[in-house]
Amino acid sequence: MITMDDIIREGHPTLRAVAKEVPLPPTAEEVELGKEMLQFLKNSQDPVKAEELHLRGGVGLAAPQLDISKRIIAVHVPSVDPEKPENGISTVMYNPKVLSHSVQEACLGEGEGCLSVDREVPGYVVRAARITVSYFDETGEKHKIRLKNYEAIVVQHEIDHINGIMFYDHIDEKNPLHLKDGVLVIE
């Protein structure tokens, strides 16, 4: 079971490396890793489990954050609509790629955080508001999905991890709280 002790922190060289592609279909070990990553996210969002295991809440985790330089990410974003629980996203993506993105940009009003960053980093992290992503599942089957707003931001954050990019690389150093006109702020 993955815990906070397994997650490497900023400054570790693996977080700045471009991760290697996963051969398809993924190995049994890579499939198991994906399942454990997703389970960590579910545990981190369960108030009882999170407290018991001392987990920080997370909606995404990339293999490089576990010091494993492979292109594997897990995302678990529950639906905000209790009437439509299927509207969330909960999956493991092998070799995910952004195929296209909107001109419209978006950011989270409260900024972004990261399980590998133990400090507050103020500033807007501007990303594409909508993306189309391709990825492979644990059987090696290819998928293509469209995501928007919060889910798109989460997936872009995790794909950045497999490309050696940290979220704060997107923050304007000189003016972290400045936004261009037309940027959608998601609260």
Side-chain angles (χ1 to χ4, degrees):
M1 179 188 342
I2 296 170
T3 68
M4 290 303 296
D5 292 338
D6 298 307
I7 296 174
I8 59 176
R9 302 307 202 269
E10 64 180 320
H12 193 292
T14 302
L15 292 173
R16 289 299 188 176
V18 175
K20 292 178 179 56
E21 290 235 331
V22 175
L24 298 167
T27 64
E29 186 181 74
E30 290 160 344
V31 169
E32 185 54 35
L33 173 64
K35 286 180 183 168
E36 285 185 29
M37 289 166 62
L38 193 57
Q39 190 57 55
F40 169 88
L41 296 173
K42 290 175 180 177
N43 290 345
S44 81
Q45 292 176 30
D46 175 324
V48 176
K49 280 245 190 253
E51 187 175 337
E52 175 191 319
L53 301 168
H54 308 290
L55 305 179
R56 277 181 29 209
V59 289
L61 185 63
Q65 292 178 275
L66 301 168
D67 201 13
I68 299 167
S69 196
K70 292 184 178 184
R71 300 183 80 77
I72 304 170
I73 68 171
V75 290
H76 183 68
V77 182
S79 171
V80 289
D81 184 352
E83 301 289 307
K84 296 183 179 163
E86 70 280 0
N87 281 7
I89 179 173
S90 183
T91 192
V92 177
M93 299 181 182
Y94 296 88
N95 301 335
K97 249 186 212 105
V98 175
L99 300 176
S100 63
H101 61 84
S102 61
V103 173
Q104 165 83 64
E105 293 177 314
C107 67
L108 300 180
E110 294 184 354
E112 290 184 22
C114 179
L115 293 166
S116 291
V117 179
D118 293 330
R119 62 189 172 100
E120 287 285 315
V121 183
Y124 292 120
V125 181
V126 178
R127 301 181 182 278
R130 292 178 305 285
I131 57 172
T132 300
V133 177
S134 72
Y135 69 94
F136 296 88
D137 64 20
E138 68 279 356
T139 67
E141 186 180 332
K142 190 171 188 174
H143 297 266
K144 189 164 117 178
I145 56 170
R146 288 195 174 103
L147 300 168
K148 65 181 187 180
N149 302 338
Y150 186 64
E151 292 172 355
I153 286 171
V154 170
V155 170
Q156 288 173 88
H157 177 115
E158 298 312 321
I159 288 176
D160 272 357
H161 273 305
I162 61 176
N163 289 320
I165 300 167
M166 298 295 284
F167 75 92
Y168 47 73
D169 296 346
H170 295 282
I171 297 174
D172 181 337
E173 277 183 43
K174 290 185 181 71
N175 201 344
L177 297 174
H178 172 76
L179 284 177
K180 296 184 299 197
D181 287 345
V183 174
L184 176 67
V185 179
I186 299 165
E187 295 301 339

